[in-house]
């Protein structure tokens, strides 16, 4: 089993739908992240959670709502998205958010298409 | 604001060639620099992590160097193989402010058999 698992791998949703992306890490890490990867743009950090508390929110629109029920699970709830939100959403984890030397581990991503 | 640039955006080489990928960053006050590999439609895999006090790191056929004062890093791949074909991303972590990694757009490498 891989260290960071994301489901679903592919999601197509209408602009009025509500869906969720799920991430689970099996590495015993304390920090989890959501990144967005759009075509021809660098990876953008969306949210950071440390020990289930949100520690960073990078000016992300409220139509994206994260949830971290425990240190090994992270969700991204999606509501009334726009076509420009279509992207690869990557979840990641690291041992400790405050330890900057830690390696960060990524999941395989969830491809989201908004129609 | 930190900006990371990777040149070239794409590179195609024959199998067996040694190659260098470049990464530059605008703010030299970094804590570390990391190189990642991303296969098409997949997540990122960490290749090498260089702390700001280090000059280089090696793993197998990969060697990454860091020149913090000039804001540059290179990833050297020796004896390239078709399996090395992927997008290579560089990311820096700042010394002050938020802990987030700032990524470049990547270099898409194709190694032809």
């Amino acid at each position: 089993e891989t260290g960071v698992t994301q489901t679903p791998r592919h999601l197509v949703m209408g602009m009025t739908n509500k869906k969720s992306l799920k991430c689970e890490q099996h590495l015993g890490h304390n920090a989890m992240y959501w990144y967005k990867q759009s075509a021809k743009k660098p990876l953008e950090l969306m949210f950071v959670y440390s020990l289930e508390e949100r520690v960073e929110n990078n000016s992300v629109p409220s139509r994206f709502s994260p949830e971290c029920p425990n240190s090994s699970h992270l969700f991204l709830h999606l509501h009334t998205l726009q076509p420009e939100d279509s992207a690869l959403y990557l979840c990641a984890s690291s041992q400790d958010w405050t330890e900057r030397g830690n390696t960060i581990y990524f999941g395989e991503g969830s491809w989201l298409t908004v129609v | 604001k930190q900006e990371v640039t990777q040149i070239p955006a794409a590179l195609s080489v024959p199998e067996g060639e040694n190659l260098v990928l470049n990464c530059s960053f605008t703010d030299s006050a970094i804590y570390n620099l990391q190189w990642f590999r991303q296969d098409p439609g997949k997540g990122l895999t960490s290749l090498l992590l260089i702390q700001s006090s280090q000059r280089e790191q090696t793993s197998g056929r990969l060697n990454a160097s860091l020149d913090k004062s000039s804001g540059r890093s290179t990833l050297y791949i020796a004896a390239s193989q078709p399996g090395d074909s992927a997008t290579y991303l560089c990311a820096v972590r700042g010394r002050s402010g938020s802990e987030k990694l700032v990524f470049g757009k990547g270099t898409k490498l194709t190694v032809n058999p």
Side-chain angles (χ1 to χ4, degrees):
Chain A
E1 194 169 271
T2 58
V4 181
T5 305
Q6 291 187 240
T7 55
R9 292 297 318 282
H10 299 271
L11 177 63
V12 179
M13 60 184 290
M15 288 190 284
T16 58
N17 292 160
K18 289 185 181 181
K19 297 285 184 183
S20 297
L21 305 181
K22 179 183 175 182
C23 176
E24 183 174 0
Q25 58 98 358
H26 311 277
L27 301 168
H29 289 166
N30 293 323
M32 296 187 75
Y33 311 77
W34 279 116
Y35 282 87
K36 176 183 179 182
Q37 188 175 34
S38 306
K40 299 183 180 179
K41 291 177 70 175
L43 260 76
E44 301 171 71
L45 178 66
M46 300 176 72
F47 301 103
V48 181
Y49 274 82
S50 177
L51 295 171
E52 303 134 52
E53 298 224 356
R54 190 189 308 181
V55 295
E56 186 151 327
N57 175 353
N58 268 5
S59 303
V60 179
S62 59
R63 57 186 184 269
F64 295 92
S65 175
E67 179 190 0
C68 188
N70 54 63
S71 60
S72 61
H73 290 86
L74 185 64
F75 295 88
L76 187 63
H77 303 299
L78 314 170
H79 178 47
T80 60
L81 295 191
Q82 304 298 313
E84 59 264 29
D85 296 322
S86 299
L88 178 65
Y89 289 84
L90 291 162
C91 176
S93 71
S94 65
Q95 182 60 52
D96 189 320
W97 179 71
T98 60
E99 179 46 63
R100 298 186 245 183
N102 291 159
T103 298
I104 187 167
Y105 296 84
F106 283 83
E108 299 218 319
S110 293
W111 279 103
L112 172 66
T113 303
V114 181
V115 297
Chain B
K1 178 185 172 186
Q2 178 74 269
E3 291 185 3
V4 178
T5 303
Q6 292 186 247
I7 295 174
L11 180 64
S12 182
V13 301
E15 183 176 2
E17 191 164 299
N18 301 326
L19 59 100
V20 173
L21 306 180
N22 297 295
C23 171
S24 62
F25 45 95
T26 55
D27 184 352
S28 61
I30 65 169
Y31 190 83
N32 59 38
L33 181 145
Q34 203 160 351
W35 282 94
F36 294 87
R37 168 186 173 137
Q38 185 175 28
D39 291 292
K42 299 290 184 69
L44 279 66
T45 300
S46 178
L47 297 173
L48 290 164
L49 172 67
I50 311 177
Q51 304 295 348
S52 63
S53 59
Q54 297 175 320
R55 295 295 295 245
E56 66 177 348
Q57 282 286 334
T58 298
S59 176
R61 294 182 294 108
L62 305 179
N63 176 277
S65 68
L66 174 63
D67 184 344
K68 201 174 61 168
S69 60
S70 67
R72 294 184 181 184
S73 175
T74 61
L75 179 66
Y76 175 82
I77 303 177
S80 59
Q81 303 170 358
D84 295 328
S85 298
T87 296
Y88 290 82
L89 294 118
C90 165
V92 298
R93 189 183 298 276
R95 179 172 291 281
S96 62
S98 68
E99 307 289 333
K100 64 183 179 183
L101 288 171
V102 178
F103 284 83
K105 294 182 182 181
T107 294
K108 183 177 180 180
L109 173 65
T110 302
V111 181
N112 301 301

